[in-house]
Amino acid sequence: LEYTVVSIKKAAFQGNKTITTIHIPASLNKIDTDAFRNMQNLKNIYIEDLKAWCNVDIVNGNANPIYNAFSTSLEKNWGKVYFNNTLFNGELTIPSDVKVTRRSFYGLKALTKVTLSEGLDSIGDQTFANCTKLTEIAIPSTVKGIGSAFFGCEALEKITLNEGLETIGNSMLYNCKALTELTIPSTVKNIASSPFSGCTKIATVKSLSTVPPV
């Protein structure tokens, strides 16, 4: 029998040391807490549909198999990820019809460049968290809110926030140690808790608002 997989339950494969390859179908819509935690030998991840993957509700970091394939800091031990049957080479373009991203790329340490398309509405919590080689990113003007999307992106040197952004979320740039300056658009209305905590090199913050955001 063949089944259509739509969800993966809590701790489903936690601690499994025999699985080396996993295929993620486009039908998947949720991965529950710690589903792939401590899968030490997971080396190949095939994600059937990048657009569908962006919409999967991934409950925490260890629910994302990508994080576990890149859990070590040693590049020689990193796994491989295939999006739409193409080997990921460090660069990523989010499809133009994606409206919301979640924890889709949490811990993808090999990510060096990402292009976000116009039409994206929001960038959810930890979308690119712990992507430690990402150095620069531009946020489209269509994005209204950003969660803790860049948590732990320690190599991020530049982020361009465009007019249209309204909300800067909790810990948005937490521990982005390479960031030296930031310009906050005039459209920003709300800044949540500790969005710049751990940004130890930041020297200049400019706000374009005539009315300070809350």
Side-chain angles (χ1 to χ4, degrees):
L1 293 177
E2 292 186 2
Y3 297 90
T4 299
V5 176
V6 297
S7 67
I8 300 174
K9 297 300 183 183
K10 179 179 179 180
F13 302 103
Q14 181 173 340
N16 186 296
K17 295 180 174 61
T18 58
I19 294 175
T20 59
T21 301
I22 187 167
H23 294 257
I24 302 292
S27 57
L28 189 67
N29 55 49
K30 183 175 182 178
I31 308 177
D32 213 336
T33 309
D34 292 345
F36 295 98
R37 187 183 185 95
N38 293 334
M39 293 186 68
Q40 298 175 1
N41 294 312
L42 183 58
K43 296 300 180 184
N44 298 287
I45 301 169
Y46 292 84
I47 294 172
E48 181 181 7
D49 187 294
L50 177 57
K51 176 188 173 183
W53 179 247
C54 289
N55 290 312
V56 175
D57 179 12
I58 302 173
V59 176
N60 73 337
N62 272 298
N64 191 332
I66 288 175
Y67 174 63
N68 287 277
F70 290 84
S71 59
T72 176
S73 59
L74 298 174
E75 290 190 35
K76 65 178 182 179
N77 294 330
W78 286 353
K80 295 179 180 179
V81 181
Y82 297 80
F83 295 107
N84 299 358
N85 292 317
T86 300
L87 177 63
F88 168 70
N89 64 359
E91 299 187 4
L92 193 64
T93 298
I94 304 303
S96 59
D97 48 355
V98 170
K99 299 299 182 184
V100 177
T101 60
R102 307 182 193 277
R103 287 185 176 86
S104 316
F105 310 103
Y106 183 101
L108 184 55
K109 292 179 180 176
L111 181 66
T112 57
K113 181 179 180 181
V114 60
T115 301
L116 303 175
S117 301
E118 292 287 331
L120 189 63
D121 291 333
S122 67
I123 305 173
D125 284 339
Q126 301 182 340
T127 295
F128 301 104
N130 296 321
C131 291
T132 53
K133 297 187 80 172
L134 183 64
T135 59
E136 183 176 343
I137 193 164
I139 308 300
S141 60
T142 54
V143 171
K144 302 300 182 187
I146 306 174
S148 56
F150 305 101
F151 186 106
C153 292
E154 57 188 37
L156 189 66
E157 297 176 349
K158 181 179 180 181
I159 182 169
T160 303
L161 305 176
N162 281 305
E163 293 292 306
L165 182 66
E166 297 179 357
T167 300
I168 291 175
N170 292 333
S171 303
M172 184 183 83
L173 295 164
Y174 178 84
N175 223 28
C176 291
K177 298 177 181 179
L179 193 67
T180 59
E181 61 181 49
L182 184 70
T183 298
I184 300 173
S186 66
T187 51
V188 170
K189 301 174 182 178
N190 297 284
I191 300 177
S193 175
S194 305
F196 317 122
S197 180
C199 295
T200 51
K201 288 187 177 180
I202 201 162
T204 304
V205 178
K206 298 178 182 178
S207 175
L208 303 181
S209 298
T210 53
V211 177
V214 176

